[in-house]
Amino acid sequence: MSAEFPSVRPRRLRTTPAMRRLVAETRLHPAELILPAFVREGITEPRPIGSMPGVVQHTRDTLRRAAVEAAEAGIGGLMLFGVPAVQDATGTAGTDPEGILQLAIRDVVSEVGDQLVVMSDLCLDEFTDHGHCGVLAADGSVDNDATLERYAEMAVVQADAGVHLVGPSGMMDGQVGVIRKALDAAGHQDTGILAYTAKYASAFFGPFREAVGSSLKGDRKTYQQDPANARESLRELAQDVAEGADLVMVKPAMSYLDIVRQVADASPVPVAAYQVSGEYAMVEAAAANGWIERERTILETLTSVRRAGAEQILTYWAVEAAGMLR
């Protein structure tokens, strides 16, 4: 070993917290975080979601309070999901101007105005009695083009309620273009579209189905993407951008960080990623058993998604993580 060895010492930049903070390549900020929130029709108290400790189905009143808390925390926005009292074959509650999701949008916008970007899930699975994201054909398959008609109606009623961004999540071919056309025709040129561009048929969605009261039998593999595939995400990206997407999203996040990076490298519009219910549940379960350090793990997972290229992150820890980042 020569006297000059080693001449390169990367550890010099790891010596103190101040040094590590100075040279950190990836930073999280509360404004990049989006809180998904569920509101259920017909309940008088928040209803805990058993598979997602700390997450509830809100009443309209508690959702208003949660929106104020989120605004005070400085996060970027809310993504709203409605859970109706009655589901039917075509998801009627999803296009009822007085449906729970539209009422919740009005509530939140009136409570926090433009302090948060208010977003809404634009999909039929919460509203259908079969649990699929679209209208069923006679043979039981999801009818892509009939579903697009319903999505167009949903987009307009959500925009009428005051939402800032609609989030079409059903993975129907042509959904962004149809929604953009419907919004523009109804005078909602300023309502944006956060397109679920790469949404995979993932096992990590399990707890979410409890959260929205899904009655799904079977799976969604004929319209959500195959976890084995990466290239088709870029094809979906090109299509969504061409049809007018303002932002695009990859879902889930942590098992698809390679997809987040590929989409981020190719996208001309901002890229979001959704840290989904199963990812949340696994961390909470492991932390509850004392197997991992909860707060460190939360921030590490969020940092990994940000490092992969996501500029916005949907996470059930949004408000809590914002507090950790102060």
Side-chain angles (χ1 to χ4, degrees):
M1 184 181 299
S2 71
E4 296 178 357
F5 179 85
S7 59
V8 177
R9 295 181 181 268
R11 286 184 58 192
R12 294 186 188 116
L13 300 184
R14 305 171 194 154
T15 52
T16 66
M19 182 66 76
R20 293 191 293 273
R21 184 173 63 247
L22 178 69
V23 300
E25 298 174 29
T26 304
R27 302 184 193 278
L28 287 171
H29 191 281
E32 300 164 346
L33 305 178
I34 299 164
L35 177 67
F38 307 99
V39 58
R40 186 182 184 107
E41 186 175 18
I43 59 174
T44 57
E45 296 291 336
R47 182 172 296 183
I49 300 167
S51 54
M52 299 175 68
V55 181
V56 301
Q57 292 175 331
H58 284 286
T59 69
R60 289 176 63 188
D61 285 339
T62 63
L63 179 63
R64 288 189 190 96
R65 293 197 289 272
V68 171
E69 180 186 22
E72 291 174 346
I75 71 168
L78 290 176
M79 174 64 79
L80 302 178
F81 297 85
V83 185
V86 177
Q87 299 169 323
D88 60 25
T90 59
T92 302
T95 50
D96 180 354
E98 299 303 312
I100 185 59
L101 181 53
Q102 285 68 253
L103 294 175
I105 292 168
R106 292 189 187 97
D107 289 341
V108 170
V109 170
S110 68
E111 197 71 46
V112 298
D114 292 332
Q115 296 177 66
L116 293 171
V117 178
V118 181
M119 313 172 197
S120 54
D121 184 55
L122 199 165
C123 194
L124 287 171
D125 58 326
E126 300 102 300
F127 303 104
T128 55
D129 54 13
H130 47 73
H132 276 289
C133 297
V135 178
L136 298 187
D139 63 0
S141 64
V142 175
D143 186 326
N144 190 96
D145 294 0
T147 299
L148 294 182
E149 295 179 18
R150 298 288 293 127
Y151 286 1
E153 296 174 47
M154 292 183 76
V156 172
V157 296
Q158 291 178 9
D160 287 345
V163 79
H164 303 132
L165 288 173
V166 295
S169 60
M171 292 298 289
M172 297 296 123
D173 293 337
Q175 61 184 16
V176 173
V178 166
I179 289 167
R180 182 72 271 157
K181 183 177 180 181
L183 289 170
D184 290 351
H188 292 298
Q189 291 88 351
D190 290 337
T191 303
I193 300 174
L194 168 56
Y196 284 59
T197 287
K199 182 178 180 181
Y200 283 85
S202 173
F204 289 103
F205 296 154
F208 179 87
R209 294 180 184 175
E210 178 189 356
V212 297
S214 174
S215 53
L216 179 68
K217 301 295 188 294
D219 59 53
R220 297 177 175 137
K221 294 180 180 179
T222 65
Y223 45 102
Q224 294 177 354
Q225 289 178 237
D226 185 341
N229 294 347
R231 250 195 326 259
E232 66 180 351
S233 291
L234 298 182
R235 187 181 185 193
E236 294 278 1
L237 169 66
Q239 180 172 331
D240 284 353
V241 170
E243 292 179 11
D246 299 288
L247 302 88
V248 296
M249 182 152 65
V250 176
K251 180 181 181 180
M254 290 170 58
S255 290
Y256 297 86
L257 294 180
D258 60 322
I259 307 300
V260 175
R261 170 46 59 197
Q262 289 181 52
V263 170
D265 286 345
S267 178
V269 300
V271 176
Y274 196 143
Q275 188 180 53
V276 300
S277 58
E279 299 170 63
Y280 174 92
M282 288 192 302
V283 171
E284 290 290 350
N289 279 282
W291 298 334
I292 57 176
E293 295 180 50
R294 182 176 177 276
E295 290 193 1
R296 280 188 62 193
T297 303
I298 290 170
L299 291 181
E300 185 174 336
T301 62
L302 292 171
T303 300
S304 73
V305 179
R306 184 71 182 86
R307 188 183 65 240
E311 296 154 285
Q312 297 81 32
I313 305 173
L314 285 81
T315 175
Y316 300 98
W317 290 305
V319 171
E320 182 179 2
M324 297 178 200
L325 294 171
R326 288 176 180 166

